[in-house]
């Protein structure tokens, strides 16, 4: 089983280092960001299982970062706040944080909180793991049915697999090579332009009754699924 990925966001180097040491010792793979803008870049570039997010940071504060992440993802977020700053804690929870800890904090307790929020997330996903509900769209991973604005959309098997992969990692950018590997498999020797062809057909089918263009082109990279706010 591959290690879980945790993004630690804090403008204090020492705090990131200490958290990273404890998480690495527990078997997690750790990424770091020192401000809000870097946090969003790394969130969009990779898939994360948990985000540990400080509130007071340069460029973009943690509450704003949490709000932006929640537009496209349900990834668990634990916020770090000044111990007595109740306003930040309330705002963070209102904008979708799953938990919070006041500074100073015990790294061991933070690890325990991460494990707890992962258990809660896993339990919730098991209840509806076959159904992806998105603004204007639902995807049933068992029946392989797609509804856009309550209307069924007919997709080929590969179109469905492509859509499901992108939608389950909303906000994450995939290169054409990654999509070929994930959807078509290791033994596929076709041209990467196959991906472009399938994406274009998929976009045409999803654009029904003014529905948004869910699949965005990431120039120089590939594609991602994005829910328009």
């Amino acid at each position: 089983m591959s290690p879980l990925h945790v993004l630690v966001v804090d403008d204090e180097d020492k705090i990131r280092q200490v958290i990273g040491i404890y998480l690495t010792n527990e078997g997690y793979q750790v990424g770091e960001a020192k401000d809000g803008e870097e946090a969003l870049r790394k969130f969009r570039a990779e898939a994360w299982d948990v985000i540990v997010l400080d509130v007071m940071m340069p460029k973009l504060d943690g509450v704003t970062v949490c709000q932006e992440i929640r537009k496209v993802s349900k990834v668990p977020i634990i916020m770090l706040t000044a111990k007595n700053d109740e306003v930040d804690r309330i705002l963070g929870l209102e904008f979708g944080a799953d938990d919070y800890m006041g500074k100073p904090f015990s790294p061991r307790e933070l690890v325990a909180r991460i494990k707890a929020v992962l258990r809660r997330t896993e339990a919730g996903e098991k209840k509806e793991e076959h159904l992806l509900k998105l603004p204007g769209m639902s995807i049933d991973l068992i029946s392989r049915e797609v509804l856009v604005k309550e209307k069924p959309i007919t997709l080929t098997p590969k179109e469905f697999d492509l859509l499901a992969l992108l939608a389950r990692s909303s906000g994450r950018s995939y290169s054409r090579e990654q999509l070929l590997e994930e959807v078509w498999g290791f033994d596929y020797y076709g041209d990467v332009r196959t991906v472009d062809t399938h994406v274009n057909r998929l976009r045409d089918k999803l654009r029904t009754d003014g529905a948004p263009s869910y699949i965005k082109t990431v120039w120089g990279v590939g594609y991602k699924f994005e829910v328009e706010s």
Side-chain angles (χ1 to χ4, degrees):
M1 183 176 178
S2 60
L4 297 177
H5 291 61
V6 182
L7 178 60
V8 179
V9 187
D10 198 294
D11 61 332
E12 295 187 41
D13 294 344
K14 187 174 181 180
I15 289 179
R16 296 198 310 274
Q17 292 168 3
V18 170
I19 294 174
I21 290 170
Y22 275 82
L23 291 177
T24 301
N25 289 340
E26 289 289 328
Y28 296 101
Q29 187 165 322
V30 181
E32 296 183 8
K34 63 182 179 296
D35 59 58
E37 289 184 356
E38 185 180 14
L40 286 179
R41 285 198 302 272
K42 291 199 171 182
F43 160 73
R44 290 164 178 156
E46 301 180 48
W48 303 97
D49 298 290
V50 181
I51 296 177
V52 178
L53 181 61
D54 186 29
V55 171
M56 296 300 295
M57 293 185 299
K59 298 185 179 179
L60 283 178
D61 63 84
V63 173
T64 302
V65 172
C66 180
Q67 190 176 12
E68 288 299 308
I69 290 174
R70 279 293 173 262
K71 290 179 180 179
V72 296
S73 174
K74 294 182 180 179
V75 60
I77 297 174
I78 298 176
M79 300 200 76
L80 304 178
T81 72
K83 194 165 187 177
N84 297 318
D85 202 337
E86 184 179 4
V87 173
D88 284 339
R89 293 200 296 270
I90 292 172
L91 281 175
L93 293 172
E94 284 183 348
F95 283 119
D98 297 271
D99 200 356
Y100 68 86
M101 290 189 67
K103 289 183 175 181
F105 59 89
S106 161
R108 287 192 178 90
E109 183 182 354
L110 176 60
V111 171
R113 296 283 189 97
I114 288 173
K115 291 179 178 178
V117 78
L118 282 170
R119 285 195 298 270
R120 293 198 301 269
T121 302
E122 183 180 4
E125 287 177 348
K126 284 181 178 178
K127 293 178 182 178
E128 291 191 357
E129 61 183 3
H130 70 287
L131 188 63
L132 295 178
K133 292 184 177 180
L134 303 152
M137 176 190 292
S138 65
I139 304 171
D140 192 315
L141 300 173
I142 295 178
S143 67
R144 298 175 69 86
E145 294 178 346
V146 177
L147 298 179
V148 176
K149 293 197 170 183
E150 304 301 323
K151 293 184 177 181
I153 304 298
T154 301
L155 302 178
T156 67
K158 283 292 185 267
E159 287 169 351
F160 180 88
D161 292 342
L162 182 60
L163 175 62
L165 174 66
L166 291 170
R168 291 177 79 173
S169 302
S170 182
R172 174 182 172 180
S173 299
Y174 284 89
S175 69
R176 291 167 176 82
E177 290 78 11
Q178 287 174 320
L179 292 172
L180 274 178
E181 181 178 305
E182 294 285 345
V183 176
W184 280 264
F186 290 100
D187 56 351
Y188 182 80
Y189 295 102
D191 196 303
V192 291
R193 285 175 294 185
T194 296
V195 175
D196 297 331
T197 300
H198 278 74
V199 167
N200 289 334
R201 290 174 180 169
L202 186 53
R203 281 172 168 165
D204 288 341
K205 292 181 178 182
L206 296 178
R207 290 191 187 107
T208 178
D209 292 339
S213 177
Y214 292 96
I215 301 176
K216 308 292 185 182
T217 299
V218 183
W219 298 109
V221 180
Y223 299 101
K224 69 177 179 178
F225 187 98
E226 184 175 86
V227 178
E228 296 181 352
S229 58

